[in-house]
Amino acid sequence: MAVPTQFAYRTLKGIGIVNAAPAYETLSGFQRPEGNLRCCTYSPCGRYFAWASPERVTIIDASQGHVIANLPTDNVFELGFSPQGTYVITWQRPSKDDEGNATKNLKVWRTVGENPAGDAVEGELQMLGKFVQKSQTGWNLQYTHDEQLCARAVTNEIHLYQSGDLTTVWNKLRVEGVSDFALSPGKDQSIAVFVPERKGQPAAVKVFNVPQFASPVSQKTFFKGDKVQLKWNNHGTSLIVLAQTEVDKTGKSYYGETNLYILSGNGGFDSRIQLDKEGPIHDVTWSPNSKEFGVVYGYMPAKATIFNQRAVATHEFPLKPRNTILFSPHGRFVVVAGFGNLAGQMDIYDLEKDSAKITTIEATNPSVCEWSPDGKYILTATTSPRLRVDNGVRIWHVGGNLMYSEEIAELYHVCWRPQSPSMHPLGNPLNSVPAPHASALAYLGTVKTPSKPAGAYRPPGARGQVTPLHFKREDEGGAAHISNGTPGGGAVNGFGKPRRREVPGAEAASAPIVPPGFSREGGVSLTATGPADGDEVLSKAALKNKKKREAKKAKEAADKLVGVNGSEAAEEGEIPATDGAASDAAQWKGATAKAASKGKQERNPNPSSGKAQLSKHSTTASEPPPAPTEDATPSSSSPAANAAVAGSPHEKKLRGLFKKIRAIEDLKMRLAAGEKLEDTQMKKIGTEDSVRRELEGLGWVD
């Protein structure tokens, strides 16, 4: 009788183990634990199943369900087994002892104890070793497939131990700046290490044979590699490197850049994998036969391609919104699916029949997708905390039919029991489809099948017409997504196009509308706002401010002109002035008289005269100031004019003092009108006597 497949799940209140097809029933000898259970896992060989409670770690026989061992360790947050299930590893959160030293929170135990005669003994187990492991990322030891050696990373080194003796380091691989490593799973023991970019040096992946660590047998250097995923094939002969940066400096993506490389374990081949569609790499997976791998890449709709060991594309799947690729345990079928923020559709292809499509499964918001060990079923699950509603497990036949469905509240984890494909001969699962479980029939009875797909909304004026290409996805015949490299992620096919108002039937504007002070290429303009012919694109407030600035500039130019003419006339004897500050003094007296008359008007308002002044002011502000004649305007390049405008230090001092007097007179008028002034303004009024004394000291007599 064939061994049944099995899956386990963990919820907020407990753990369950279910024997799958064809019975779909709870494991008979298993007593479900309840309470706050933080983690659970199967051993890679499938013999054991373990979970962690706040008080201890419990290990059971996965076939029978009875307890075989308890680990006397509390507050365990991570659990792991060695490849053959001989050792179990636990990880606790980092802490410090009474003396302030870090406690050894990574502990290794033998799964089954032994008595002096060498026989297996059930009960509480003893530790083989313990280490300080602060990071939860990459916390577990890595074992060779035969469990002879295990390894862990420390600063600038990889330490290797004999699995039975963890107190002594068996060998060391020193690589400056190493941040990640991976032991190969095959018979030929190899180790790959990754060194990120540092001080302008490129990142590097190096492969060493164990224990010949003098020089790498294969290596690849590259830029744009802050972190990597190291993926060995099952035979340990080839390594895929998925390199990723934290930030995309070109501005094309918010999630960094990704690149793909492949290295052979013996140094005979290494290459960058060339992908013919722009965009991120969503997923890469080795086939169980170790001779090919699948990649999903590119902007949506993404492209899925199968490559051989030499990184040559052998088959391309149709463009669709997909981001996951999974090979069945026997390597015959492959699932290309879209999870996460995609709809959850799964396309199943038969690789033995020219990659023909078998069916498309419409899953609902799955966060877990795994092939069963026998290669005939696919498990999907919606788990917390990603989604806290509609949590549950569903099992689908490779032909597309739903076989089992169970709603489980607050489901946190679900996984198949690992089993060797040799235990389940595949045959041809498409010939005969088994009968679904009653739970699947009940679920299908509640699902409403839409009679007609709604499709996208189209306004009445666009109905009955052909959809423009820029509204179609690439897999529907639309234009390919091309990023222009701007931080906003604009594109030429409508995605990220700048928003602007377009009137139907009107002629297209020759230039895009940009806000005042911004350049048409994007960003803030470093030049002036522009000529007057562009006023129609400004708002009313911006146009008003622009006219004020132009009027102010014209007035300043006129004042400078008056100062120049006055200085020249004084030098020629036409104006009886003692120095060049006479014109400033006249302006100061005129401004004082004008401020006084303004104060009188404020104290004795006349409505009719106020309206007349307002009308006159509006007319004056809207008209540009008269341009000076050619004869009266001195050349800006004339040395005499420049010298007259600049003036001597004595004249500059007088002008500064006159300016202070004008400001003080203005403040006094505002104070007389009943306006409340600030303390600094009152102090400025108090400096009038000192300013006048300073004027007298410079020879000025009022």
Side-chain angles (χ1 to χ4, degrees):
M1 182 179 177
V3 179
T5 56
Q6 183 185 98
F7 68 89
Y9 60 88
R10 178 175 64 89
T11 66
L12 180 66
K13 298 181 179 180
I15 287 176
I17 299 178
V18 178
N19 286 330
Y24 296 105
E25 60 184 9
T26 304
L27 183 63
S28 58
F30 176 65
Q31 295 183 356
R32 293 188 56 178
E34 295 183 355
N36 182 18
L37 308 177
R38 297 192 178 99
C39 57
C40 65
T41 186
Y42 280 102
S43 63
C45 62
R47 293 167 56 194
Y48 306 112
F49 179 77
W51 67 85
S53 64
E55 297 81 18
R56 68 177 69 86
V57 172
T58 304
I59 304 173
I60 67 170
D61 187 321
S63 299
Q64 304 297 327
H66 64 272
V67 177
I68 62 172
N70 288 291
L71 305 182
T73 179
D74 56 357
N75 296 322
V76 170
F77 282 83
E78 295 286 353
L79 271 174
F81 282 90
S82 60
Q84 298 179 8
T86 308
Y87 308 100
V88 60
I89 305 97
T90 62
W91 182 86
Q92 300 161 297
R93 284 183 175 175
S95 60
K96 294 183 178 181
D97 56 17
D98 297 337
E99 298 178 358
N101 299 321
T103 58
K104 296 183 178 181
N105 57 328
L106 177 64
K107 301 174 183 178
V108 182
W109 317 71
R110 185 179 292 274
T111 305
V112 179
E114 295 181 353
N115 59 17
D119 299 328
V121 177
E122 299 179 1
E124 291 192 352
L125 308 179
Q126 299 297 321
M127 279 187 297
L128 296 178
K130 53 184 178 179
F131 308 93
V132 175
Q133 177 65 35
K134 296 182 179 179
S135 176
Q136 191 171 2
T137 303
W139 65 273
N140 201 357
L141 299 179
Q142 294 190 28
Y143 284 82
T144 57
H145 80 288
D146 57 3
E147 295 186 348
Q148 294 298 315
L149 300 175
C150 62
R152 65 184 299 262
V154 296
T155 305
N156 297 327
E157 288 182 346
I158 305 296
H159 287 182
L160 283 88
Y161 300 85
Q162 292 181 339
S163 299
D165 181 13
L166 300 180
T167 59
T168 305
V169 177
W170 176 73
N171 207 335
K172 295 180 182 179
L173 170 59
R174 180 166 182 82
V175 180
E176 194 72 23
V178 60
S179 65
D180 198 4
F181 77 102
L183 279 174
S184 66
K187 295 180 180 179
D188 298 330
Q189 297 174 356
S190 301
I191 183 171
V193 296
F194 168 67
V195 180
E197 295 181 52
R198 187 177 61 169
K199 297 181 180 179
Q201 298 297 318
V205 172
K206 302 178 181 181
V207 178
F208 297 85
N209 285 334
V210 180
Q212 290 82 25
F213 296 150
S215 61
V217 295
S218 180
Q219 64 178 348
K220 185 71 176 176
T221 58
F222 48 87
F223 287 98
K224 299 180 181 179
D226 297 332
K227 58 183 180 180
V228 298
Q229 295 180 35
L230 303 173
K231 296 176 177 284
W232 285 99
N233 61 3
N234 287 348
H235 295 167
T237 56
S238 296
L239 173 71
I240 289 177
V241 180
L242 177 58
Q244 183 177 359
T245 59
E246 299 290 348
V247 178
D248 185 358
K249 295 182 180 179
T250 64
K252 295 180 180 180
S253 173
Y254 291 106
Y255 307 103
E257 294 182 75
T258 51
N259 291 289
L260 206 59
Y261 307 90
I262 185 170
L263 297 83
S264 62
N266 56 9
F269 176 76
D270 66 82
S271 173
R272 177 180 176 179
I273 301 173
Q274 300 295 333
L275 304 176
D276 57 356
K277 183 173 173 59
E278 184 183 8
I281 299 172
H282 305 288
D283 192 19
V284 56
T285 307
W286 277 104
S287 171
N289 61 22
S290 298
K291 298 179 181 179
E292 56 188 5
F293 59 92
V295 186
V296 183
Y297 57 96
Y299 294 112
M300 293 296 163
K303 188 173 185 179
T305 304
I306 293 181
F307 297 84
N308 61 16
Q309 283 181 303
R310 308 294 291 185
V312 178
T314 59
H315 182 77
E316 296 179 353
F317 297 101
L319 295 177
K320 289 188 177 181
R322 305 288 186 262
N323 58 8
T324 304
I325 183 167
L326 295 170
F327 289 89
S328 65
H330 298 83
R332 175 176 173 178
F333 304 108
V334 64
V335 169
V336 182
F339 299 141
N341 59 350
L342 300 179
Q345 295 179 330
M346 301 187 295
D347 297 327
I348 304 177
Y349 298 91
D350 190 344
L351 300 181
E352 291 185 359
K353 295 184 178 180
D354 297 329
S355 301
K357 181 178 176 181
I358 299 173
T359 186
T360 296
I361 298 175
E362 298 283 346
T364 306
N365 298 323
S367 50
V368 176
C369 180
E370 291 184 9
W371 279 97
S372 64
D374 59 5
K376 300 178 182 179
Y377 302 95
I378 301 170
L379 181 147
T380 62
T382 303
T383 59
S384 296
R386 182 182 175 272
L387 284 176
R388 297 189 181 274
V389 296
D390 298 331
N391 286 183
V393 176
R394 293 185 180 92
I395 298 178
W396 311 79
H397 188 259
V398 68
N401 296 333
L402 181 64
M403 295 286 105
Y404 176 79
S405 177
E406 182 180 359
E407 301 294 331
I408 304 175
E410 291 194 71
L411 176 64
Y412 285 96
H413 177 69
V414 61
C415 62
W416 286 106
R417 176 189 178 187
Q419 292 174 327
S420 173
S422 60
M423 300 173 61
H424 302 278
L426 183 61
N428 192 350
L430 299 177
N431 284 344
S432 59
V433 179
H437 189 257
S439 60
L441 297 176
Y443 171 76
L444 293 175
T446 62
V447 176
K448 295 182 179 179
T449 304
S451 58
K452 183 179 179 181
Y457 170 77
R458 303 190 71 174
R463 293 171 186 172
Q465 300 179 7
V466 179
T467 304
L469 292 181
H470 60 274
F471 285 121
K472 290 185 177 181
R473 294 201 311 250
E474 188 176 354
D475 57 326
E476 297 174 345
H481 177 93
I482 302 175
S483 175
N484 62 5
T486 60
V492 300
N493 58 344
F495 295 98
K497 188 168 65 174
R499 291 180 175 270
R500 55 179 300 180
R501 185 169 178 260
E502 297 179 359
V503 180
E507 294 183 0
S510 59
I513 299 175
V514 294
F518 285 76
S519 68
R520 300 186 187 276
E521 293 79 12
V524 180
S525 174
L526 300 180
T527 59
T529 304
D533 57 2
D535 289 349
E536 66 274 4
V537 301
L538 301 178
S539 63
K540 291 183 179 179
L543 186 60
K544 183 178 179 181
N545 293 334
K546 180 183 176 182
K547 289 183 177 180
K548 285 183 178 180
R549 289 194 298 269
E550 291 176 350
K552 183 178 179 181
K553 289 180 182 178
K555 184 177 181 302
E556 291 176 354
D559 291 344
K560 288 182 180 180
L561 179 62
V562 172
V564 171
N565 291 341
S567 299
E568 290 179 351
E571 290 174 0
E572 295 175 1
E574 297 178 4
I575 299 177
T578 56
D579 51 36
S583 60
D584 285 331
Q587 291 178 17
W588 166 59
K589 289 184 177 180
T592 305
K594 184 177 181 180
S597 62
K598 181 180 179 182
K600 291 178 181 178
Q601 290 176 3
E602 291 178 352
R603 288 190 296 272
N604 303 306
N606 187 347
S608 61
S609 63
K611 289 182 180 178
Q613 290 177 2
L614 179 60
S615 174
K616 182 179 180 181
H617 174 72
S618 302
T619 306
T620 306
S622 62
E623 296 176 356
T629 61
E630 234 178 81
D631 298 337
T633 307
S635 173
S636 60
S637 59
S638 171
N642 293 338
V645 171
S648 65
H650 182 73
E651 292 176 351
K652 290 182 179 179
K653 184 69 174 177
L654 285 175
R655 288 195 187 99
L657 294 174
F658 289 145
K659 185 177 180 180
K660 291 182 180 180
I661 291 295
R662 286 197 298 271
I664 291 172
E665 293 293 339
D666 182 59
L667 291 175
K668 291 169 67 177
M669 290 293 98
R670 290 166 58 185
L671 183 63
E675 183 178 346
K676 185 177 181 181
L677 301 181
E678 301 288 341
D679 293 341
T680 54
Q681 294 173 327
M682 296 299 297
K683 290 180 181 179
K684 190 170 186 178
I685 294 175
T687 61
E688 181 180 6
D689 294 339
S690 61
V691 174
R692 292 187 181 277
R693 285 195 299 268
E694 193 171 355
L695 279 172
E696 293 174 359
L698 294 175
W700 175 259
V701 180
D702 191 357

